[in-house]
Amino acid sequence: MSLQKTRLGLLGAGFMAQQAHLPCFAAAPNCEVRAIGSYRPRLAAALAETYGIPRVYADYRSLIDDPDLDAIVCIQPFHNHFHLGKEILAAGKSLFTEKPMVTRLADGQELV
């Protein structure tokens, strides 16, 4: 039986992406990291080269709109989780984010 891999995009290239999320997702047998997006495109490009990630986006909307992705790992400052999470979910992608997911109960209820 073959295991279908989840095609991931990573939104963020900072410390937590580098030290925790990217190494774990890149090593997971059921995941394939296919894109990385960051407002720091040189950093994202360096990570893409290290991990063999084929696409780098400087614009987060382009990453969200990538039809080749099943899910997006959103590693951002917590105040960005709600609006980015909302856009990711509206695009039909699965969302993985860090705590706190949101800063207001109503925002969390809306995302759920």
Side-chain angles (χ1 to χ4, degrees):
M1 180 170 106
S2 90
L3 180 66
Q4 184 175 356
K5 293 186 177 194
T6 300
R7 303 168 304 167
L8 291 179
L10 201 70
L11 183 54
F15 179 81
M16 289 304 293
Q18 294 174 43
Q19 298 300 312
H21 299 294
L22 189 51
C24 290
F25 285 116
N30 59 340
C31 293
E32 182 180 352
V33 182
R34 291 194 175 180
I36 185 167
S38 176
Y39 67 93
R40 297 179 286 183
R42 287 181 20 196
L43 175 58
L47 290 171
E49 184 176 332
T50 299
Y51 286 94
I53 301 169
R55 287 184 298 288
V56 176
Y57 293 107
D59 174 17
Y60 78 93
R61 286 185 181 95
S62 297
L63 179 106
I64 291 172
D65 291 338
D66 185 331
D68 195 38
L69 301 177
D70 302 313
I72 296 178
V73 180
C74 184
I75 307 161
Q76 295 291 312
F78 66 86
H79 60 271
N80 290 336
H81 289 174
F82 174 67
H83 78 271
L84 290 173
K86 194 171 167 180
E87 288 188 51
I88 291 165
L89 293 171
K93 308 279 195 283
S94 294
L95 168 66
F96 176 93
T97 193
E98 297 180 314
K99 63 178 175 49
M101 181 173 74
V102 294
T103 57
R104 296 176 346 123
L105 178 60
D107 292 344
Q109 291 170 327
E110 185 175 339
L111 283 184
V112 171

